[in-house]
Amino acid sequence: MAAPPQIAILGAGIFVKTQYIPRLSEISNLLCLKYIWSRSEESARGAVEIAKQHFPGVKCKWGDQGLNDIILDASVLGVAVVLAGQAQVDISLELLKAGKHVIQGTPEIETALASYNFICTSSGQPIWAVAENYRFEPAFLESKKLMADVGDMMNVQVIIEGSMNGSNPYFSSSWRRNFEGGFILDMGVHFIAGLRMMVGCEVTSVSAITSHVDATLPPPDIISSNFMLENGCSGVFVMVVSSSSPKIIWRVVGTKGTLQVERGKDNGKHGYLVSLYSPDGQCKSTFYSFSGVTEELKAFIQDISQAIVKKGRDYEAEPRSSFLEGARDVAVLEAMLESGSKGGALVHVKKF
């Protein structure tokens, strides 16, 4: 049996410590975590100390030399890039050029598509996967199946009342405050991924109004958008970055029923309640705990293993992880933000 692939993590912030390390530990039989890198030695060592509980052999790397060591290490096949949005693209492209498989977040993913296609032209090109990806949440996999029970779509509603305030660990994140689109783009892209997964078709055009109410947040912090799906169904997307009563809902009204996905908590576990309402007033509900990060990392490792077995030829990566899907999510939010900057003008969503 082949040895599990060796991977590295670039980044040592909150998400790495609270999500990546614990989630990777759940699938530690599938991989070997070789390095954790950060710009500073202190930050890298802090994350490595946590990771050593699950991966005793993990090593610490930092600074330009440490990054170069990882790029040149042929034994490292995959890299999770968990850095500030502005830094992700250049580093990811450098890793892809070196033949590494990469999983990264979505911000600014669109800007790298042309470069990626230029770097990777062969059929066995490195995998570029999208992380923090709602397409891997069991609730959205189930809701996609249940869509057949609502009949023809009549209307779609996505209501996001966020909780980005001083008690949120990401509130003081400097890169999100200096990032074009700010919290609306960084947070909203995940909700768009859930929407697209659920309805199974693309958003073609939008018309949005944006505003700035909370002075502690970068503008805009509120967006209200009408949108049109390619099947002719209309919908609304409303997002308030910070509210006093957080609520997150996706709701599809159909000719034969209504399907709703709502974020919540059950028996101490966070996740989503999926509810199917029938015309006779009955409702069937099932709660699904969060497990998307584990599932997307598992898919990434399995894709790398498949690429090894097939020696880089004729392998297909998990389509839900595709960088194109990430670009399509971002394109919807960017169209909404553009429309908002133009006072609600109709904007067509970029196609990929």
Side-chain angles (χ1 to χ4, degrees):
M1 187 174 179
Q6 298 190 78
I7 70 165
I9 297 175
L10 303 190
I14 298 168
F15 203 74
V16 167
K17 293 173 181 175
T18 63
Q19 290 296 320
Y20 267 71
I21 293 171
R23 301 296 80 80
L24 285 171
S25 73
E26 295 172 6
I27 54 172
S28 58
N29 61 310
L30 301 178
L31 64 108
C32 173
L33 179 58
K34 188 169 185 179
Y35 300 119
I36 294 179
W37 174 91
S38 184
R39 296 195 183 281
S40 74
E41 179 181 358
E42 180 183 5
S43 180
R45 289 197 182 282
V48 164
E49 282 306 307
I50 295 171
K52 277 187 173 178
Q53 299 171 37
H54 311 288
F55 303 96
V58 64
K59 299 173 185 175
C60 185
K61 293 285 183 180
W62 63 89
D64 292 342
Q65 183 57 54
L67 179 59
N68 195 50
D69 289 344
I70 292 172
I71 291 171
L72 295 177
D73 188 337
S75 71
V76 174
L77 301 178
V79 182
V81 180
V82 198
L83 301 169
Q86 298 92 328
Q88 286 190 112
V89 170
D90 289 344
I91 289 178
S92 291
L93 289 173
E94 197 173 347
L95 292 162
L96 290 162
K97 193 173 182 179
K100 312 290 188 191
H101 303 292
V102 172
I103 184 167
Q104 69 157 87
T106 47
E108 294 198 355
I109 201 169
E110 177 195 337
T111 63
L113 293 179
S115 299
Y116 175 73
N117 289 327
F118 176 75
I119 290 169
C120 307
T121 55
S122 66
S123 59
Q125 62 189 22
I127 297 158
W128 187 18
V130 174
E132 301 159 56
N133 189 333
Y134 280 25
R135 279 173 280 271
F136 284 89
E137 289 292 349
F140 288 101
L141 290 171
E142 181 62 19
S143 66
K144 184 176 182 180
K145 296 174 188 173
L146 291 174
M147 280 295 295
D149 295 333
V150 306
D152 294 331
M153 277 187 274
M154 299 168 64
N155 186 256
V156 183
Q157 302 149 37
V158 183
I159 311 297
I160 312 298
E161 298 172 13
S163 57
M164 188 53 65
N165 53 46
S167 63
N168 190 301
Y170 299 100
F171 178 77
S172 299
S173 170
S174 60
W175 76 260
R176 289 174 176 86
R177 292 175 174 275
N178 300 321
F179 183 67
E180 191 172 348
F183 287 107
I184 290 281
L185 182 56
D186 181 59
M187 295 164 60
V189 71
H190 306 301
F191 307 126
I192 295 296
L195 165 67
R196 292 181 54 244
M197 178 74 174
M198 195 170 172
V199 301
C201 61
E202 299 301 332
V203 178
T204 57
S205 61
V206 303
S207 174
I209 299 295
T210 54
S211 55
H212 186 212
V213 174
D214 189 337
T216 67
L217 294 167
D221 64 332
I222 299 172
I223 188 164
S224 301
S225 178
N226 291 317
F227 62 81
M228 180 70 73
L229 298 175
E230 61 187 349
N231 64 3
C233 180
S234 64
V236 293
F237 177 92
V238 178
M239 181 174 173
V240 179
V241 173
S242 181
S243 71
S244 58
S245 54
K247 200 171 190 66
I248 299 175
I249 293 174
W250 294 257
R251 187 175 173 92
V252 178
V253 181
T255 54
K256 296 179 181 178
T258 296
L259 180 62
Q260 178 173 293
V261 178
E262 181 173 4
R263 185 177 288 186
K265 201 172 180 182
D266 184 60
N267 291 324
K269 293 185 176 181
H270 291 274
Y272 300 98
L273 183 68
V274 178
S275 301
L276 180 63
Y277 300 86
S278 56
D280 61 3
Q282 298 296 309
C283 174
K284 294 179 181 178
S285 297
T286 307
F287 185 83
Y288 296 88
S289 298
F290 291 149
S291 64
V293 175
T294 303
E295 294 304 315
E296 72 191 14
L297 289 170
K298 189 187 296 182
F300 179 60
I301 299 302
Q302 289 172 341
D303 283 345
I304 293 174
S305 298
Q306 180 189 200
I308 295 169
V309 170
K310 298 194 176 182
K311 302 190 187 304
R313 295 189 298 274
D314 302 322
Y315 63 84
E316 281 189 33
E318 165 61 64
R320 286 175 295 166
S321 299
S322 166
F323 65 94
L324 279 173
E325 292 298 333
R328 289 165 183 151
D329 296 337
V330 172
V332 175
L333 255 301
E334 287 187 334
M336 290 178 180
L337 288 166
E338 181 184 343
S339 175
S341 71
K342 295 178 178 177
L346 184 71
V347 173
H348 292 281
V349 178
K350 230 178 259 186
K351 293 182 179 179
F352 293 96

